[in-house]
Amino acid sequence: MSPELDLMIAIHLLHEVLEAQIEAADLDHSVPKNDFLMLVHLNEPKRMGALAEDMHVLPSTLTAIADRLEGTGLIHRQRDPDDRRAWLLDITDKGRALQSRIMGLSTEMFRSITGLTAEEIKTFDHLMQKVRSNIIERDGMQELMK
Amino acid sequence: MSPELDLMIAIHLLHEVLEAQIEAADLDHSVPKNDFLMLVHLNEPKRMGALAEDMHVLPSTLTAIADRLEGTGLIHRQRDPDDRRAWLLDITDKGRALQSRIMGLSTEMFRSITGLTAEEIKTFDHLMQKVRSNIIERDGMQELMK
DNA sequence: GCCATTTGGTTCATTTGATGAAACATTATG
DNA sequence: CATAATGTTTCATCAAATGAACCAAATGGC
């Protein structure tokens, strides 16, 4: 088996375990799995379209996620003053509290799951920075091809 | 944002892109997303229970996956001679053909998506080996705690 | 050997969440 | 000013995971 395929499987495994762990950390089960991602991506008020692109989901999917999070009072919609069709999504205080709880937990959680040292995490992070920018660049390329 | 959280998001992204790419490579759409994973895990005849554990899914979920793959003739069930309740799943020739096509594609696909050099992939692989064994060990620990 | 329990898989009803087409309001363009 | 494009929502549909109930075979105590 090639190291690449091996890596793909390992990434799948890690991803799965991370997701399960994050879900377990949400003690009151107020937020479905992937909705956490939105909380993390929402570091500043953003349009739904922009967020959908960030998260690689369809606009209609994002509407549902936003509805759920707004329902539990973690975010709120606000009309974009520049375009009355669009919303600006923003985190509420309650949302910010959960967001920082996630951020606080994430460090310990990640180390415990992966068993990596601080040094190794640094290396890992460095690699993934490169991967991320490559993916984003690729996405941009494919957008142009249409 | 901590490097750990940053990493978690990047892993999520990479995982997503890899999955989409694998699905796109299955030109005739004969195999649903995650069912590929079974093909890869099936390097030797295995019981369904063992496979379910390998893939971190419930037995009932695995039954469905096996049904699908058997339906398209990629695997087949065979009674375990040691236990007449159990099945041994095995790959068919057709399955093996797809398996090796996946393996062949995976190298190029992974490099193109991540943009990493051979050297970096080696480092990555090394890190993930450690992560994997840590996760497996953790799983074992939690099993004992019950 | 016999009954109770455990184990390996399956069935099925339910739930979750993504998808894409159609709709609606607003904005941009010719 | 009419038409096209954009931002979001609605809704019907679908794919797939879940867990409880179930069947059959194996195991263990007596």
Side-chain angles (χ1 to χ4, degrees):
Chain A
M1 193 181 299
S2 72
E4 286 83 4
L5 185 53
D6 206 49
L7 266 170
M8 285 166 64
I9 295 170
I11 289 162
H12 184 89
L13 175 63
L14 175 55
H15 178 257
E16 218 166 39
V17 176
L18 283 173
E19 250 194 1
Q21 206 67 22
I22 289 175
E23 199 177 14
D26 172 34
L27 300 172
D28 48 356
H29 294 270
S30 57
V31 183
K33 282 192 193 199
N34 306 349
D35 294 8
F36 279 108
L37 218 54
M38 180 146 137
L39 239 40
V40 174
H41 276 284
L42 212 52
N43 42 15
E44 56 180 1
K46 272 184 194 168
R47 285 204 184 169
M48 302 189 64
L51 214 44
E53 197 166 338
D54 285 358
M55 296 171 62
H56 286 112
V57 296
L58 296 179
S60 58
T61 303
L62 198 109
T63 296
I65 299 177
D67 285 351
R68 285 195 289 268
L69 291 184
E70 197 175 25
T72 46
L74 295 167
I75 65 164
H76 68 113
R77 283 174 167 90
Q78 210 177 323
R79 277 293 170 202
D80 184 339
D82 297 339
D83 188 335
R84 288 189 302 164
R85 292 166 301 177
W87 299 99
L88 284 176
L89 296 189
D90 200 4
I91 299 212
T92 62
D93 289 342
K94 185 177 171 190
R96 211 176 309 278
L98 180 56
Q99 191 192 45
S100 54
R101 195 167 116 239
I102 294 173
M103 288 189 176
L105 281 175
S106 66
T107 302
E108 191 40 50
M109 183 189 296
F110 189 84
R111 291 190 186 203
S112 145
I113 290 172
T114 62
L116 298 178
T117 66
E119 188 59 35
E120 287 167 330
I121 287 179
K122 206 173 136 192
T123 307
F124 198 173
D125 193 33
H126 182 248
L127 283 173
M128 290 306 287
Q129 298 283 3
K130 182 167 176 186
V131 169
R132 185 186 343 221
S133 48
N134 194 70
I135 289 175
I136 290 169
E137 192 182 327
R138 248 175 79 96
D139 269 12
M141 296 282 275
Q142 287 177 357
E143 206 57 39
L144 285 179
M145 308 260 285
K146 287 183 197 165
Chain B
M1 192 181 300
S2 72
E4 285 84 2
L5 184 55
D6 205 50
L7 266 171
M8 285 165 64
I9 295 170
I11 289 162
H12 184 89
L13 175 63
L14 175 54
H15 178 258
E16 214 166 42
V17 175
L18 283 172
E19 250 193 0
Q21 205 67 23
I22 288 174
E23 198 178 14
D26 171 35
L27 300 172
D28 47 356
H29 293 269
S30 56
V31 183
K33 282 193 190 197
N34 307 346
D35 294 8
F36 279 109
L37 217 54
M38 179 145 139
L39 240 40
V40 174
H41 277 284
L42 213 51
N43 42 15
E44 57 181 1
K46 273 185 192 164
R47 285 206 185 166
M48 303 189 64
L51 214 46
E53 196 166 337
D54 285 359
M55 296 171 62
H56 286 111
V57 295
L58 295 179
S60 58
T61 303
L62 198 108
T63 297
I65 298 176
D67 285 351
R68 284 194 290 268
L69 290 183
E70 198 175 24
T72 46
L74 296 167
I75 66 164
H76 68 113
R77 283 174 168 92
Q78 209 178 323
R79 277 292 170 201
D80 184 338
D82 296 340
D83 188 334
R84 287 189 303 164
R85 292 167 303 177
W87 298 100
L88 284 176
L89 296 188
D90 200 3
I91 298 211
T92 62
D93 288 343
K94 186 177 169 190
R96 210 176 309 278
L98 180 55
Q99 192 193 46
S100 55
R101 193 166 115 240
I102 295 172
M103 290 189 176
L105 281 176
S106 66
T107 303
E108 191 39 50
M109 185 190 294
F110 189 85
R111 292 190 185 204
S112 145
I113 290 172
T114 62
L116 298 178
T117 66
E119 187 59 36
E120 288 166 330
I121 287 178
K122 207 173 134 192
T123 308
F124 198 172
D125 193 33
H126 182 248
L127 282 173
M128 291 306 287
Q129 297 284 2
K130 182 168 176 186
V131 169
R132 187 188 341 224
S133 47
N134 194 68
I135 288 176
I136 290 169
E137 192 183 325
R138 248 175 79 96
D139 270 12
M141 296 281 275
Q142 288 177 356
E143 206 56 40
L144 286 178
M145 308 260 285
K146 287 184 198 166

